[in-house]
Amino acid sequence: MNSINIVMGEPGSGKTILAEALVFANASSEADPRPILYLTTLSEPLEKVVRYLQQFSFFDEAKLLSGAIRYDSIAVELEEHGVAALVPKLKDIITTVAPKIIVIDSFKAVHDLSTSVSEMRRILYEVSGLLTAYETTAFFLGEYSEDQIPTFPEFAVADGMVELARKKHGTRDERYLRVLKLRGSNYQEGLH
């Protein structure tokens, strides 16, 4: 808990589905009233994400109605103010809603709006401090590739990195999960 995690993979690899399954599995119980926030950016409209979510067996409308899970979008703010909109939006959400988990889908879209590596580093420094101060776990989803790991600053601040992949085998595809980093923990390497 209280970490920054990146879930990376090509479009269609299952990042959003994995994150939403995680969100519904960890939604508040009476013992832990802190909600979970799913924040969309400029990749897919919020309405589309929620519409497709409803077809999965883990979907539980009661968790949305009770406020245990909240969906929101930062797309308008990002369009108007660029990547600088992220920190004020997160600070407002964290101080008013106090979520225990925040999913940002797609964080790669936020990265793509930055004008420089130094700007992205400053933003990530502030985001990391904010998440740590309020004991919030974050999952940054993105269409990242392995060759971006050494150069994109979000990978330097990440405590965990999970890659999702699809490989074609004859007439079918197989899906794989690979843990690339899990700070302070042992993990089994390779494709699973």
Side-chain angles (χ1 to χ4, degrees):
M1 289 302 275
N2 306 332
S3 58
I4 295 174
N5 305 280
I6 294 178
V7 179
M8 60 185 278
E10 295 178 0
S13 60
K15 300 176 300 294
T16 298
I17 295 169
L18 175 65
E20 289 180 320
L22 179 142
V23 162
F24 277 85
N26 287 281
S28 299
S29 63
E30 291 180 27
D32 185 5
R34 293 177 66 192
I36 297 175
L37 176 70
Y38 199 102
L39 189 63
T40 62
T41 62
L42 289 169
S43 55
E44 290 190 80
L46 177 62
E47 297 78 15
K48 183 178 178 183
V49 171
V50 174
R51 183 176 69 236
Y52 283 107
L53 161 70
Q54 296 175 24
Q55 62 188 315
F56 292 101
S57 61
F58 58 79
F59 174 72
D60 182 353
E61 186 177 17
K63 291 181 180 182
L64 292 177
L65 295 174
S66 71
I69 299 171
R70 299 176 186 201
Y71 278 77
D72 198 356
S73 176
I74 189 173
V76 171
E77 293 93 335
L78 289 171
E79 284 181 317
E80 292 176 1
H81 306 289
V83 69
L86 184 63
V87 173
K89 176 77 170 188
L90 284 178
K91 186 171 187 174
D92 179 55
I93 288 168
I94 288 173
T95 56
T96 58
V97 178
K100 64 181 174 182
I101 297 172
I102 296 175
V103 175
I104 301 177
D105 186 2
S106 158
F107 197 83
K108 174 73 165 52
V110 175
H111 175 98
D112 291 346
L113 291 174
S114 66
T115 58
S116 68
V117 172
S118 61
E119 177 188 37
M120 197 64 199
R121 284 194 189 281
R122 281 193 309 277
I123 296 294
L124 284 163
Y125 178 78
E126 290 182 55
V127 167
S128 179
L130 192 59
L131 294 170
T132 302
Y134 287 92
E135 298 181 355
T136 302
T137 298
F139 291 89
F140 298 167
L141 280 53
E143 308 77 25
Y144 297 103
S145 58
E146 196 169 346
D147 63 321
Q148 295 167 328
I149 294 172
T151 57
F152 283 23
E154 47 267 50
F155 292 103
V157 300
D159 299 300
M161 293 170 22
V162 174
E163 178 186 29
L164 300 179
R166 292 170 68 147
K167 304 268 186 210
K168 187 173 182 168
H169 289 281
T171 59
R172 63 182 174 85
D173 286 353
E174 289 186 356
R175 292 179 184 259
Y176 293 95
L177 181 141
R178 180 169 72 144
V179 177
L180 301 170
K181 179 180 182 181
L182 199 56
R183 196 182 308 257
S185 301
N186 289 327
Y187 57 89
Q188 190 168 356
E189 295 183 8
L191 296 173
H192 304 279

